Amino acid sequence: MPLKKAHGPFFTTLRRLWFQDPAADTLFINDIAVRIRAGIMLAIPLFMAFTLYDAVFGSNWVVTGNYIKDTFETDFDERILYHVEAIRRTYDYTLQTWVLLYALFEMLAGMFAITARFSPTIYIASLLARHHAPVWKPLTPKRFAWSIGASFIAVCLVFFNPDTFAGWVNAVAMHELLPTTFNYMPKWIPLVLVWVCLGFMWMETVLGFCVGCKVHSLLVKMGVMKDECEACNNLSWNT
């Protein structure tokens, strides 16, 4: 078999990625590759979930160990009390911010055929799915689902960078609408959102159930969404 022909499917995948036809007016994507990509990106909400859990429920103080003295007293639970030297814990969310920015880029990149060319996870997922029979589904409901994910990420970015966001808002408003000296966002909001996102992505990966797509189909049925497609009115909640 000629070399060019033998490697044809590989290069075809790189050219089309997970699209049935990238030049078509109505885009269809391979749901097998979408689920593989969701499995790859599942690492991001897992990382953020543990980070937020530590930030919300972790101790605000760090014992240095330089000074520890027994008080010879106990608390109500008969635990020995000590005098210690401790420092207030400070957080550096630079890594988390870059991870979230990358996740936001991935959410937005998958929405269009042109931007999909810049997504590493789409290349990996498309190549891993090329030996399986494709399952073509319309892109429009996925765009809606990824828009929900992008909004979750944006909220988490504000939580990790409240002073930066407040500076932007205050500069645009030319008035101090948001404080810059403390985090004005309740901690439970990003904590809940990241676990919801984790659940959505787990269902997409393991069960093949896209919650955002089902919400989109329901909104189309109600007449809220006007961009209908072949599968948008399918309200079968079992698939």
Side-chain angles (χ1 to χ4, degrees):
M1 181 180 295
L3 183 61
K4 182 178 179 181
K5 197 170 185 179
H7 292 273
F10 179 85
F11 290 106
T12 299
T13 301
L14 291 180
R15 186 174 68 254
R16 294 185 178 180
L17 297 181
W18 57 14
F19 297 100
Q20 187 180 36
D21 182 4
D25 293 333
T26 301
L27 294 175
F28 286 80
I29 55 178
N30 184 1
D31 193 57
I32 302 297
V34 171
R35 292 175 62 179
I36 293 174
R37 182 182 185 238
I40 296 172
M41 295 191 63
L42 194 62
I44 294 178
L46 274 173
F47 170 69
M48 298 309 304
F50 285 113
T51 297
L52 285 167
Y53 183 87
D54 182 54
V56 173
F57 299 107
S59 174
N60 291 326
W61 300 93
V62 178
V63 177
T64 63
N66 296 329
Y67 174 79
I68 300 177
K69 182 179 179 181
D70 193 341
T71 64
F72 301 102
E73 297 179 0
T74 59
D75 61 8
F76 291 107
D77 296 323
E78 298 299 325
R79 293 174 298 189
I80 300 175
L81 300 177
Y82 293 88
H83 284 305
V84 300
E85 182 182 84
I87 59 175
R88 187 166 183 85
R89 188 177 181 186
T90 58
Y91 295 91
D92 180 10
Y93 294 126
T94 302
L95 175 61
Q96 285 78 6
T97 299
W98 282 110
V99 170
L100 286 173
L101 287 173
Y102 176 74
L104 181 62
F105 159 75
E106 286 285 356
M107 290 291 105
L108 299 177
M111 295 183 182
F112 305 95
I114 296 177
T115 54
R117 296 286 172 192
F118 303 98
S119 169
T121 59
I122 291 179
Y123 279 100
I124 296 172
S126 300
L127 291 173
L128 292 176
R130 74 183 189 278
H131 296 305
H132 301 272
V135 178
W136 301 114
K137 291 190 176 181
L139 176 62
T140 303
K142 294 295 182 183
R143 282 176 178 165
F144 180 80
W146 294 332
S147 297
I148 296 176
S151 65
F152 287 0
I153 294 170
V155 171
C156 290
L157 278 169
V158 173
F159 174 78
F160 287 122
N161 302 273
D163 52 340
T164 302
F165 181 75
W168 292 346
V169 173
N170 295 340
V172 172
M174 293 184 292
H175 182 70
E176 188 174 344
L177 297 178
L178 295 175
T180 58
T181 56
F182 63 91
N183 198 337
Y184 42 83
M185 181 179 292
K187 294 180 179 179
W188 64 267
I189 293 179
L191 186 63
V192 170
L193 289 182
V194 75
W195 283 104
V196 170
C197 183
L198 183 62
F200 284 1
M201 294 184 70
W202 181 86
M203 286 190 287
E204 174 81 42
T205 303
V206 179
L207 305 179
F209 185 92
C210 178
V211 177
C213 299
K214 297 302 180 181
V215 174
H216 180 271
S217 67
L218 182 61
L219 293 175
V220 170
K221 187 70 174 180
M222 294 170 59
V224 177
M225 305 291 292
K226 299 186 180 298
D227 189 6
E228 298 191 22
C229 58
E230 182 178 325
C232 293
N233 291 321
N234 178 18
L235 292 178
S236 176
W237 295 81
N238 297 321
T239 58

